[in-house]
Amino acid sequence: MSGFAIAKMNRRAFCGAAGATALAAAVPTRADSTRTVGDGNVMQAHILTGNGEWTYRIVTGWGKLPHGTVFGGTHGAIAEDNAGHIYVSTQSETGVLVYGADGDLLKTIASGFPEVHSMVHADERGVEYLYCTVQKGTPAENWLFIKMKTDGTVVQKITAPPEAGFKAPNEWRLTAAVPGPEGSIFIANGYGDSRIFRFDSKGQFKASYGEKGHEEGQFDCSHGLAVDKRYDQPLLLVCDRENRRLCHFDFDGKFVRTVTTHLRRPCQVSFCGDFAVVSELEGRTTILDRDNVPVAFLGDNPHTDQWAKYDVDPGAIAAASFSASHGCFIDKDANIYISDWNKTGRVTKLTRLRS
C-alpha cells in the first residue's frame, strides 16, 4: 500500500472488548422510549431510539403493503435511486418493492428473482443500475450475480467461475457484490468458502482474495461488501460476520487492517459522509464515526431471545427494536431504513431528530 494515507485511528483502543463494554454502558440506546412533542394544538407521541445527535424517530407504518401483496420474508437489502425511490428486496415472487419516500408502494420489479440478498445502486454515465446477488431465482438460475436497470431489466449475470476451483453448484453461495474501480465487480462468497472475487466489467474472472478462517485477512462469512470512500484512498470494507468485525482491503486484494471488532454479527454497511451505519444480526444497528468508533446504537433489543431469529412474529418486536437487522441504508438526509431477517417480513424507517 505504498503512498497510502489514512486517518489516524487515534481511538482504536476502544475496539477491544473492555472499550466496547464501556461505551455500551455510557451511551443509552433508549430503544422504544417515547417523547411527546407539541405540533400546533396536537400532541404527538414519538417512538425514539438512539442517542444525542443520532436520536431517531420510528416512522410508524412506513412501507405498509397493499392488500394482496406480501413480503414473503425479508432476507435482503435496501437501496435508493437518483429520484429518491427506495428499493426493498423480498423472499417471494413479489421481487423487489419500489417505494416513494413517503412509504407508498409504487411498483414491484425483478419478480423472476425472488430472493435478492444484496443490492447496491450505481450511476454509470447517467444510466442507473442495481448490483445484486441472488440466492433464489428461476429453477435454472440460483446463486448468481445480476446487474439490472432500475426497471428490473437484467443486463449482466455472473455464475461460479470454474477458474477459481468451483466444481459443484452449492459451493457458490454468494452474499454481496459492489462495483469497483474501472468497471470491476467484487463478489463475496459469504455463505460458501468466504473468499472475495474480482471480475472485470465483462464478467471475466480476474482474482480471488482471502480464505475461510479467523486470522487477520481471513473471513468467517464475508457477508457484506461496501466501497469505503471516507479516506484518501477508497477501500473495500468487508463485513466479516461470524468473526464479528469489519475489515479493510485495497482493490488489489491486499489486507489493510481490521477496523472494528466485537460487533453483533455485522451484515451490511451504508455510508453518510464520515459515518457508517452497520446492521447487526443480533438485534441492533450501530453508527460508526470516521475512526470506526461507535457513536450510537439504534434499536438495541433487550430481548436476547429475539436476536437473529427468523421466525419471530413482527408484532412481538417492540417498534423501536430490531430482532435481526440485516438490510440497511442511510440516505442523504440521514434517514435510515432497516429490514430485519424475518420470515414474515419487517421493514423500518427511522428519521433523524433535528435540534
Side-chain angles (χ1 to χ4, degrees):
M1 291 288 296
S2 58
F4 173 64
I6 191 168
K8 183 179 180 181
M9 302 297 180
N10 57 1
R11 289 187 283 165
R12 285 196 66 218
F14 170 85
C15 295
T21 302
L23 186 75
V27 181
T29 65
R30 301 191 319 171
D32 218 22
S33 64
T34 61
R35 180 189 299 167
T36 302
V37 297
D39 183 11
N41 296 321
V42 179
M43 299 299 288
Q44 298 176 329
H46 285 182
I47 303 173
L48 306 178
T49 186
N51 49 268
E53 64 177 319
W54 296 99
T55 299
Y56 278 82
R57 175 178 64 87
I58 306 302
V59 182
T60 305
W62 191 94
K64 184 178 180 180
L65 296 175
H67 180 72
T69 303
V70 297
F71 290 114
T74 43
H75 180 206
I78 302 174
E80 181 186 34
D81 67 15
N82 290 345
H85 299 142
I86 303 298
Y87 295 69
V88 179
S89 63
T90 72
Q91 287 177 281
S92 72
E93 292 182 359
T94 300
V96 176
L97 302 159
V98 185
Y99 290 101
D102 57 3
D104 288 340
L105 182 65
L106 303 178
K107 61 181 179 179
T108 62
I109 62 171
S111 60
F113 300 100
E115 192 168 345
V116 170
H117 185 268
S118 69
M119 183 168 51
V120 174
H121 174 265
D123 187 322
E124 299 176 0
R125 295 179 294 277
V127 181
E128 296 180 71
Y129 297 100
L130 296 170
Y131 282 64
C132 304
T133 55
V134 177
Q135 296 189 3
K136 181 180 179 182
T138 67
E141 294 182 314
N142 293 309
W143 299 103
L144 75 158
F145 163 84
I146 61 171
K147 178 181 178 181
M148 64 182 175
K149 295 182 178 180
T150 53
D151 64 0
T153 302
V154 176
V155 300
Q156 187 178 30
K157 299 177 183 178
I158 297 175
T159 56
E163 309 96 306
F166 290 106
K167 299 178 181 179
N170 63 357
E171 295 177 342
W172 178 246
R173 301 172 63 84
L174 66 177
T175 51
V178 292
E182 300 177 349
S184 59
I185 303 168
F186 290 82
I187 297 176
N189 190 33
Y191 291 158
D193 60 15
S194 289
R195 283 186 294 169
I196 295 171
F197 300 85
R198 179 167 61 88
F199 299 83
D200 65 17
S201 61
K202 296 180 180 179
Q204 299 298 312
F205 169 73
K206 292 299 181 181
S208 67
Y209 311 137
E211 60 184 354
K212 201 171 186 69
H214 308 291
E215 303 300 322
E216 288 198 329
Q218 297 178 327
F219 311 112
D220 189 4
C221 186
S222 52
H223 189 278
L225 296 178
V227 177
D228 193 346
K229 299 179 180 179
R230 294 178 293 167
Y231 311 110
D232 293 341
Q233 176 177 326
L235 295 167
L236 189 66
L237 185 67
V238 183
C239 294
D240 186 7
R241 194 181 75 181
E242 300 312 309
N243 284 325
R244 298 175 177 268
R245 64 192 180 190
L246 302 181
C247 306
H248 273 148
F249 280 71
D250 70 15
F251 290 103
D252 292 322
K254 296 177 182 177
F255 172 74
V256 176
R257 58 174 50 83
T258 296
V259 296
T260 304
T261 59
H262 302 289
L263 295 173
R264 290 189 195 161
R265 302 173 70 192
C267 289
Q268 296 180 8
V269 177
S270 181
F271 296 101
C272 183
D274 281 339
F275 295 89
V277 179
V278 184
S279 56
E280 297 169 278
L281 199 65
E282 291 179 336
R284 189 178 70 181
T285 294
T286 294
I287 299 177
L288 305 175
D289 66 10
R290 194 174 190 271
D291 291 334
N292 297 297
V293 173
V295 295
F297 298 123
L298 308 180
D300 194 351
N301 192 335
H303 300 288
T304 58
D305 60 327
Q306 293 183 341
W307 290 7
K309 294 296 190 296
Y310 183 59
D311 57 356
V312 176
D313 179 356
I317 306 168
S321 293
F322 303 121
S323 64
S325 180
H326 189 278
C328 73
F329 180 79
I330 184 168
D331 66 20
K332 60 181 176 58
D333 297 319
N335 300 311
I336 295 175
Y337 303 82
I338 299 293
S339 58
D340 277 306
W341 177 57
N342 187 273
K343 184 177 181 178
T344 303
R346 185 174 191 256
V347 179
T348 304
K349 178 179 180 179
L350 307 90
T351 58
R352 190 173 177 183
L353 292 188
R354 306 292 179 179
S355 57

